[in-house]
Amino acid sequence: MKAAAAKSRFGALKIGDELPQRQFECGNVQLMLYNAALWNGHRIHFDEPYARDVEGYPGLVIAGPLLGDWLHQCVEEWLGDDGRIVSIDYSNRVATYVGEVLTSGGKVTAIHPEAGEAEVEVFISNAEGAVVTPGKVVVRFGESW
């Protein structure tokens, strides 16, 4: 039954369909724990005086891989049990900081019926609406996964 639902959902997919947007706000503890799990010891992620006074940032810098994880979560929530992510490619273009409210989202840009796949242009934007992390995700629906 799940495969039929996924196939039906894929058949209804259209170029331009938008993913639900999701907001994120990273706090000091989340950032510290995330970087500890990655063994990322760069001080701009946990030592605010260093980030500000030595590196010149206005605050603690959110780690780029965390932004990639948020893109992944946005797509995973949209897919639900109907498919899976095949690939993800993104680029961090603008630094983001603890306390900023960031928004993820995306839209379908290509559909490949023969493979049961779709391409999704994804993004994370800041409160001013500037895209800080653009990317592309390929997803596969239904029995083909």
Side-chain angles (χ1 to χ4, degrees), residues 113-128:
E114 67 287 349
E117 293 182 354
E119 295 176 22
V120 181
E121 181 181 292
V122 292
F123 67 87
I124 292 181
S125 61
N126 61 21
E128 291 78 35

Side-chain angles (χ1 to χ4, degrees), residues 54-100:
V54 176
E55 296 279 346
Y57 293 109
L60 293 176
V61 179
I62 298 174
L66 182 55
L67 299 174
D69 284 346
W70 288 343
L71 288 173
H72 193 279
Q73 288 172 19
C74 178
V75 175
E76 283 280 322
E77 287 177 0
W78 171 72
L79 279 172
D81 292 334
D82 293 336
R84 69 178 177 96
I85 293 174
V86 175
S87 67
I88 184 168
D89 183 36
Y90 68 94
S91 174
N92 296 306
R93 304 277 175 89
V94 178
T96 56
Y97 306 97
V98 165
E100 279 190 273

Side-chain angles (χ1 to χ4, degrees), residues 104-117:
S104 67
K107 69 178 177 180
V108 176
T109 56
I111 299 170
H112 306 287
E114 67 287 349
E117 293 182 354

Side-chain angles (χ1 to χ4, degrees), residues 14 16-21 78 106-108:
K14 295 177 195 66
D17 284 354
E18 293 190 7
L19 279 64
Q21 292 189 354
W78 171 72
K107 69 178 177 180
V108 176

